[in-house]
Amino acid sequence: MMTAKEYEESLRKLNLVVYQFGKRVENVVDDPIIRPSMNAVAMTYALAANPKYEDLMTATSHITGKKINRFCHIHQSTDDLVKKTDMGRFMGGMTGSCFQRCVGMDSLNALSITTYDIDQKYGTEYNKRFLKYLEYVQEGDLVCDGAMTDPKGDRGLPPHLQPDPDMFMHVVEETKDGIVVRGAKAHQTGAVNSHEIIVMPTISMREADKDYAISFALPSDAKGITYIMGRQSCDTRKLEKGRIDCGNANFGGHEALVVFDDVFVPWDRVFMYKEYEFAGALVEQFASYHRQSYACKAGVGDVMIGAAQTIAEYNGVQKASHVKDKIIEMNHLNETLYCGSVTCACKGSAQPSGTYLVNTLLANVCKQNVTRFPYEIARLAQDIAGGLMVTLPSEDDFNSKEVGKWLDKYFKGNADVSTEDRRRILRLIENICFGTAAVGYLTESMHGAGSPQAQRIMISRLVDMAQKQRYAKKLAGIKTED
Ligand code: SF4
Ligand code: FE
């Protein structure tokens, strides 16, 4: 396994084409806006190297028997799935942000199932190819960006009817050595901190869309791939000299638009090629795994609750019954998020490939709660924190010879606590509610791993309605056939 330092050095060797604020980023690793997101991924290495967290952060490869980072592991039991939940929550607490590496883990696991299933039907060799690729990823302890979301153009039209055919990733050429693909993937979490990019279809498809039913993996710096960084609220605070106004200066996440401009993929890295009837299954498996992964939000929720309790103490209101009750409510919501992720893991089952998949109904219920509860937790944190969280003057003002003394005096709360510490915790809450971390804690909770309606459709499909009606009719004395 790589150390955090080795991970950082491995990124320096990549030749990624990254654009930000209209310019090519020459040094991605040290870029002050991108750097905190790299630090968050680096924690997946640092914690795996710490013997204290070995059981949680590492696993035994089912293909080589070697010790590997759990983020590269194919789940072999429900115990593995539960550990994945706990690892996500732990990482969320340690970074207070999106640590990005889960999308790759979820892609690998989904592909381990789908490639096997395609082979069963068509006698293809996708699973063999995939396992070879998996070994490469595990041996190198690599970060993979799982790329699913196409730009989609007109949402009312399938891929082949889009006025611009590139709105969904598709094959433009086939050669004896491989395929050439064109398209883009949007909102790609952790893209420029990744060694590899794993592309999957974004929706289920019919025969007319078969050129779009493709899955493959490429090195992140393959020729023809360009990354355009998404910007986040308050991102340029990271360019300021002072660190306090960042709220969480060391860690963050990022998203990028990834453009594939006629990129060559060798056959040994193609895991689905026009088997359109498996596109939907791959999407569902990835989505179910990623809906479970949102245990990370319970980890960031832990940070938020800890910050809310701290600011209550700094403000001197921690004994007020309504404040105590709000903290209880935040904990209740946060533990409910955790319950969903743990439960879909416990109720997971082995697929024909041997990989354990979460219970998909419960994973969808879990994610549906994630689309709501972090918003309520954030609302309660803001209620407790007070308006100062968003009206605080800048760090430069606090350091000013002329006005700093007044800010220090008038923004003091509890006499035992420095104004600076009060400011630090307020900025942390601001960061998660409105700043760079709000992308991960709020909007991604809404739309990541599928928007709320996607889960509602799955819930309606997966519940056993006939059984519920049988129960009801039997108790009501209504005659039924079974
Ligand atoms: Fe992982 Fe959460 Fe970030 Fe998704 S949002 S990549 S699950 S940390
Ligand atoms: Fe996500």
Side-chain angles (χ1 to χ4, degrees), residues 20-21 28-38 229-232 234-239 243 252-254 436:
Q20 184 174 239
F21 298 117
V28 178
V29 175
D30 297 312
D31 180 87
I33 292 193
I34 299 172
R35 176 93 197 174
S37 70
M38 193 283 291
M229 299 295 296
R231 80 169 304 182
Q232 299 172 334
C234 307
D235 49 9
T236 48
R237 286 193 194 184
K238 292 187 250 181
L239 303 175
R243 310 310 291 150
H254 77 248
T436 52

Side-chain angles (χ1 to χ4, degrees), residues 11-24:
L11 292 182
R12 288 185 197 286
K13 292 186 193 131
L14 299 176
N15 183 26
L16 301 182
V17 181
V18 180
Y19 281 82
Q20 184 174 239
F21 298 117
K23 292 195 193 79
R24 172 99 187 250

Side-chain angles (χ1 to χ4, degrees), residues 98 103 189 255 290 294 297 444 448-449:
C98 168
V103 276
T189 297
E255 276 75 29
H290 206 52
Y294 277 23
K297 310 303 178 200
E444 190 171 9

